Amino acid sequence: MKWLVLLGLVAFSECIFKERYTVLYLTSSVTTANSETSCISNCSVIFYIGTITIGTPPQEFQVVFDTASSDLWVPSIVCNSSTCSTHVRFRHRQSSTFRLTNKTFGITYGSGRMKGVVVHDTVRIGDLVSTDQPFGLSMAEYGFEGRRFDGVLGLNYPNISFSKAIPIFDKLKNEGAISEPVFAFYLSKDKQKGSVVMFGGVDHRYYKGELNWVPLIRAGDWSVHVDRITMKGEVIGCSDGCTAMVDTGSSNIQGPGRVIDNIHKLIGATPRGSKHYVSCSAVNALPSIIFTINGINYPVPARAYVLKDFTGNCYTTFKEKRVRRSTEFWILGEAFLRLYFSVFDRGNDRIGLAPAV
């Protein structure tokens, strides 16, 4: 079996290469590395980002690998938005393989939005190469101030692409560039050990036990059915079952406002600005919150759902998700995924989860 591990340049015998992840604060500051593994002191991050190159000769970009979206985009050199000026911008005139189209599109994320044009060029993710890959060049960006990533590489299904361009994973899969139609994430609790995203296979050293496979609610979206959410044996959410998206591009666990408010009440969190805070000294006594998915319990202990901000105060990663849906909907972001190694299997329309090492 062949597999590729991204987000790193340190080679080891079973993988072609791997790369350390980049850690971001909830502000634009850079975290100070330490040896502790508890997320209460070490995991104030927003996104895990990695390096790709675009063009001939290659131009390097830092992107978020995002399972909630399907489009790849980076800023254009002609983008005049203030956020574009603080990031690496693609210089299309310097690439001999660049091709322009007349298609335009826009995307709105939870943290910002962009408008751009669809273009084609050679894109490289490690030693994976996609020639004439369609992607977006942003001409305007809003709300991405303070983010250290240049763009986004979407890994969701092609049917939700805003640009209507074939996603890079699908193009690589269709061309046989990867041996299996899967990719996987290990989001480390300790950044010195490094996080990885793998394409084409799975490195079993990153999880314990066996993978538990969860069928998708439908092919076309990385969403699964959650049986219930409990705390201290009591159901606090998803009492009739609900839907959750497994989202590597979100740092939080998000759910309906009434349920999130109840969780904060049960753990004694108090609102301050856009966050809810708890006493740092009380974290070890706070209960785990258990997501039961396909009959398997996935506990999220307080050390995972409570982080420290740059002032040393402790806040929760539970946030309200405002969506218009007839059924209860959740986002399982990095606070969940740091605990559980995740495999996204396009060939069988399922997600595999196992305790991360």
Side-chain angles (χ1 to χ4, degrees), residues 2-23:
K2 173 186 176 183
W3 60 75
L4 301 177
V5 181
L6 304 185
L7 302 181
L9 297 175
V10 181
F12 50 83
S13 60
E14 294 176 299
C15 298
I16 294 177
F17 72 95
K18 87 175 181 183
E19 173 183 302
R20 295 177 182 174
Y21 63 85
T22 300
V23 178

Side-chain angles (χ1 to χ4, degrees), residues 82-331:
S82 59
T83 50
C84 288
S85 64
T86 61
H87 295 111
V88 177
R89 292 177 287 180
F90 184 65
R91 300 175 181 270
H92 60 278
R93 294 185 183 278
Q94 295 183 6
S95 175
S96 62
T97 45
F98 174 80
R99 182 163 66 89
L100 182 65
T101 78
N102 60 1
K103 297 177 183 178
T104 60
F105 71 104
I107 307 176
T108 298
Y109 299 93
S111 57
R113 58 193 176 94
M114 61 79 69
K115 295 180 180 179
V117 60
V118 177
V119 299
H120 292 247
D121 211 328
T122 299
V123 179
R124 296 173 177 84
I125 309 173
D127 67 351
L128 291 172
V129 181
S130 179
T131 58
D132 201 38
Q133 171 66 45
F135 66 98
L137 282 183
S138 66
M139 301 298 179
E141 297 179 12
Y142 313 91
F144 294 118
E145 292 84 358
R147 314 298 190 190
R148 293 196 62 190
F149 60 85
D150 302 312
V152 175
L153 192 152
L155 290 168
N156 211 332
Y157 283 71
N159 56 287
I160 66 167
S161 167
F162 285 89
S163 69
K164 305 305 179 184
I166 183 171
I168 187 169
F169 182 80
D170 285 82
K171 190 165 180 292
L172 291 169
K173 174 173 66 71
N174 294 347
E175 293 174 351
I178 53 177
S179 56
E180 294 183 46
V182 303
F183 56 89
F185 282 86
Y186 171 75
L187 303 184
S188 175
K189 305 175 188 69
D190 181 348
K191 62 186 176 182
Q192 293 188 14
K193 294 182 180 178
S195 296
V196 294
V197 54
M198 310 167 193
F199 290 89
V202 176
D203 187 337
H204 304 280
R205 295 175 298 177
Y206 283 96
Y207 64 88
K208 296 173 284 189
E210 298 295 323
L211 286 166
N212 297 307
W213 292 103
V214 185
L216 301 182
I217 291 176
R218 61 186 177 279
D221 191 344
W222 295 118
S223 293
V224 297
H225 178 79
V226 177
D227 304 332
R228 60 192 168 274
I229 304 171
T230 57
M231 177 192 291
K232 294 182 176 179
E234 299 292 329
V235 176
I236 59 170
C238 291
S239 57
D240 297 318
C242 64
T243 299
M245 176 176 286
V246 184
D247 182 2
T248 59
S250 172
S251 57
N252 303 303
I253 295 175
Q254 302 177 46
R258 58 178 177 78
V259 183
I260 297 299
D261 289 344
N262 187 45
I263 289 174
H264 284 144
K265 181 179 178 181
L266 290 171
I267 63 175
T270 56
R272 193 188 318 161
S274 63
K275 299 182 178 66
H276 281 72
Y277 285 81
V278 297
S279 169
C280 293
S281 61
V283 171
N284 290 336
L286 293 178
S288 294
I289 295 175
I290 300 172
F291 292 81
T292 303
I293 303 173
N294 204 32
I296 305 294
N297 290 337
Y298 295 90
V300 180
R303 61 177 174 78
Y305 67 72
V306 176
L307 308 181
K308 267 187 180 177
D309 65 18
F310 67 97
T311 65
N313 294 308
C314 293
Y315 65 94
T316 82
T317 60
F318 290 103
K319 295 195 71 173
E320 177 183 359
K321 178 65 176 177
R322 297 178 180 175
V323 292
R324 293 181 179 178
R325 285 177 177 253
S326 58
T327 57
E328 192 171 323
F329 181 71
W330 288 73
I331 297 288

